[in-house]
Amino acid sequence: MGGGGGGEGEEKPFNFLQILCEGVIAGGAAGVVVETALYPIDTIKTRLQAARAGSQIQWKGLYSGLGGNLVGVLPASALFVGIYEPTKRKLLDMFPENLSAVAHLTAGAVGGLGASLIRVPTEVVKQRMQTGQFRTAPDAVRLIVAKEGFRGLFAGYGSFLLRDLPFDAIQFCIYEQLRIGYKLMAKRELKDPENALIGAFAGAITGAITTPLDVLKTRLMVQGQTKQYSGIVSCAKTILREEGPGAFLKGIEPRVLWIGIGGSIFFGVLEKTKSVLAERSSRKAALAEKDE
């Protein structure tokens, strides 16, 4: 991204370490800004999805679990973009230009898979705190491991991957493809507000499409020891039987709002951070050449 959507590989030689480091810094910064700004909307969405038919939604403590969540979000976002960027560059070099969407889809899924090892425990702890099961993140981790074993921190891992891999792949693909198209039309580099607007659009569409998967993931993650659902299929069947098909769209409004605004902030901060880092590294390179 940063310097271009589709043809970055032609602009300068592939420097894995530099792309990885820039991705890690930019991803971490973007993830923390988004999470802090939009956490209350995420909490409302989680409570709406976790609520059984007829139960009341609690509106207090909308920042419950933010501190512990940031501890996970920072490395997870950093790891995601750190994996995504070099993977994307390599795939764009390998694939013909008309298959750039496949490169973006694949890189998004690969980044999501790597980041899931941090994202899932973070999400489990966050959602248990958002639904009032624990007061602090250390308490949540300690008690989940004590009662459910280490596997408890990875509750709903399959449903998380089922939601997040398509989500990451689709969101980043829509974003990258829209940027390529927009740049071709505008015949120039994109401005920060334009990147943010495209990010909002990509986030909102992807958020809406993946809401049913998000409902399944939330139910599996917050069930704890009750073991109401034995897996993804059992969860889907139970929701359908007890609450009807409408339950699969629970929380769609806050989710689309949260991910739309989040996409705008995330991609805006991501591109800005990357362009600042790219300028810095090109200045360093120019100075090094002068010294020689």
Side-chain angles (χ1 to χ4, degrees), residues 279-290:
E279 274 172 34
R280 218 178 110 200
S281 63
S282 60
R283 274 203 305 271
K284 270 188 183 174
L287 283 168
E289 274 178 29
K290 266 188 190 174

Side-chain angles (χ1 to χ4, degrees), residues 11-233:
E11 290 167 19
K12 52 189 175 184
F14 183 82
N15 182 335
F16 175 79
L17 203 59
Q18 187 185 324
I19 296 166
L20 174 74
C21 290
E22 287 180 4
V24 163
I25 295 165
V32 167
V33 172
V34 170
E35 200 64 26
T36 306
L38 303 179
Y39 197 80
I41 303 174
D42 181 37
T43 301
I44 292 165
K45 185 251 344 165
T46 298
R47 289 176 184 175
L48 283 169
Q49 290 180 344
R52 309 296 310 246
S55 56
Q56 290 291 306
I57 305 298
Q58 174 62 254
W59 295 96
K60 286 179 183 172
L62 295 182
Y63 271 97
S64 181
L66 174 65
N69 195 44
L70 288 181
V71 172
V73 164
L74 176 60
S77 299
L79 185 60
F80 175 85
V81 182
I83 293 171
Y84 173 78
E85 282 293 326
T87 306
K88 178 188 80 172
R89 302 275 184 104
K90 267 293 176 208
L91 291 172
L92 286 170
D93 284 347
M94 286 161 58
F95 290 168
E97 206 168 308
N98 62 340
L99 289 180
S100 64
V102 179
H104 294 137
L105 275 168
T106 308
V110 171
L113 190 61
S116 70
L117 297 172
I118 301 171
R119 277 180 179 171
V120 174
T122 304
E123 188 90 347
V124 168
V125 169
K126 176 188 79 173
Q127 293 198 326
R128 301 277 183 97
M129 289 180 71
Q130 285 175 332
T131 50
Q133 295 181 38
F134 303 107
R135 294 201 56 109
T136 69
D139 273 355
V141 173
R142 191 166 44 79
L143 290 166
I144 289 168
V145 171
K147 289 178 185 172
E148 301 165 50
F150 188 70
R151 286 179 63 182
L153 291 173
F154 286 86
Y157 187 67
S159 64
F160 184 91
L161 291 183
L162 185 69
R163 180 204 69 169
D164 264 46
L165 296 194
F167 181 89
D168 291 329
I170 295 165
Q171 185 184 28
F172 273 76
C173 182
I174 291 172
Y175 173 73
E176 297 277 18
Q177 292 298 307
L178 285 174
R179 283 187 82 230
I180 291 168
Y182 196 107
K183 280 173 75 174
L184 286 171
M185 280 167 45
K187 296 183 172 63
R188 59 171 171 77
E189 290 297 318
L190 303 189
K191 297 183 172 72
D192 293 338
E194 291 168 332
N195 284 322
L197 196 63
I198 292 169
F201 187 71
I205 291 174
T206 315
I209 293 168
T210 56
T211 296
L213 299 174
D214 191 46
V215 171
L216 292 173
K217 182 220 59 147
T218 297
R219 291 291 179 93
L220 287 163
M221 281 187 167
V222 300
Q223 68 176 336
Q225 285 180 293
T226 60
K227 291 291 172 237
Q228 210 172 347
Y229 317 110
S230 58
I232 297 164
V233 176

